[in-house]
Amino acid sequence: IYMKRTKIVPGILLMILLCSAVTVEAHDAWLSAKWNAPKTHVVISPVVAESFPNGEPIKDMTRFIEPGAYFPDGGKLTLNGDPKDSTVLGSLPAAASFIVSAGVKQREITYDRKVALGYLTEEIGLTKNEADTFMTPGINEFSETYGRYLKTLVSTGKASPKDSAVGLPLELILISWVGSTGDQAGIKFKLLVDGTPAVGVSVRILSKGKTTLVKTDSSGT
């Protein structure tokens, strides 16, 4: 799952490392938000990349499950794509703050031992000894079936992002956002698994091209 606060410019991306992408370079996916030409609507496009925030469009809209937008007043809009542009998941009228989310259908990938070890240590946050318990001696090819849950917070102008649970099986909830200069902010978040706080789970935080691994506490924050 990915949670991103977008002020129509790249912001902060929090990535939950349960069933996530699986290469050392992390082919991460997220929901990108940008203005349309007349700045009347916000265009939502799923993208994938080895390095946030610059991504390549994902064109296979059939892979996404229940994409939608959620507004602070309780309103919801389903994202139905754009028949003229296969890279667009939906277009939404401008609002001070809203949430967009989608599930991504499961897929299976195969990778070699080096990539598998890098995934477990660099992305999941395991020590080499912990990772070795998953690596069967003499096996050099590993397969994994995984899915994604994507969530982006969008705010326009000087509005602060407002978050709430939208019912994803794996979901980040923004608890507080304290803005500072430029695009910087101090944030606090909670991780939920099936609506229950997830304790002691690794979370990968990307900001300005740098990765930080943290773990949730006894309350899932």
Side-chain angles (χ1 to χ4, degrees):
I1 180 173
Y2 301 75
M3 184 172 78
K4 176 187 174 188
R5 186 265 193 176
T6 304
K7 194 177 179 181
I8 315 304
V9 295
I12 297 173
L13 185 68
L14 307 180
M15 289 177 219
I16 306 308
L17 294 170
L18 293 177
C19 305
S20 74
V22 287
T23 67
V24 176
E25 294 81 8
H27 282 80
D28 297 312
W30 64 91
L31 299 177
S32 172
K34 63 181 180 180
W35 288 115
N36 65 350
K39 294 190 175 180
T40 58
H41 286 69
V42 177
V43 178
I44 306 299
S45 299
V47 296
V48 65
E50 293 183 0
S51 179
F52 176 81
N54 301 311
E56 296 294 328
I58 298 174
K59 298 181 179 181
D60 184 5
M61 297 295 103
T62 63
R63 291 190 59 203
F64 295 92
I65 304 169
E66 297 183 347
Y70 302 81
F71 297 88
D73 62 2
K76 177 185 176 181
L77 288 177
T78 299
L79 302 179
N80 294 313
D82 184 337
K84 297 181 180 179
D85 188 343
S86 63
T87 68
V88 173
L89 199 58
S91 179
L92 300 162
S97 179
F98 59 91
I99 303 164
V100 290
S101 70
V104 184
K105 293 179 181 179
Q106 287 190 347
R107 63 181 298 192
E108 182 176 322
I109 62 173
T110 300
Y111 40 91
D112 63 27
R113 190 177 189 86
K114 181 180 178 181
V115 172
L117 181 61
Y119 166 61
L120 292 172
T121 56
E122 296 177 25
E123 295 191 29
I124 300 299
L126 301 181
T127 66
K128 186 178 183 304
N129 287 339
E130 291 171 333
D132 283 341
T133 64
F134 294 93
M135 309 282 288
T136 304
I139 301 299
N140 294 311
E141 188 174 273
F142 297 82
S143 295
E144 179 182 22
T145 300
Y146 74 97
R148 289 186 173 113
Y149 299 99
L150 310 181
K151 180 180 181 182
T152 295
L153 303 184
V154 181
S155 63
T156 61
K158 296 182 179 180
S160 295
K162 298 183 183 300
D163 197 13
S164 61
V166 298
L168 297 174
L170 180 64
E171 181 170 6
L172 280 171
I173 307 295
L174 181 67
I175 303 300
S176 65
W177 176 283
V178 181
S180 58
T181 58
D183 296 322
Q184 298 296 305
I187 61 174
K188 183 177 181 180
F189 60 90
K190 183 185 291 287
L191 173 61
L192 303 180
V193 177
D194 293 327
T196 301
V199 177
V201 174
S202 293
V203 179
R204 184 160 59 95
I205 303 174
L206 297 186
S207 180
K208 295 188 179 298
K210 296 182 179 180
T211 295
T212 302
L213 283 173
V214 300
K215 280 194 174 183
T216 58
D217 62 16
S218 58
S219 64
T221 56

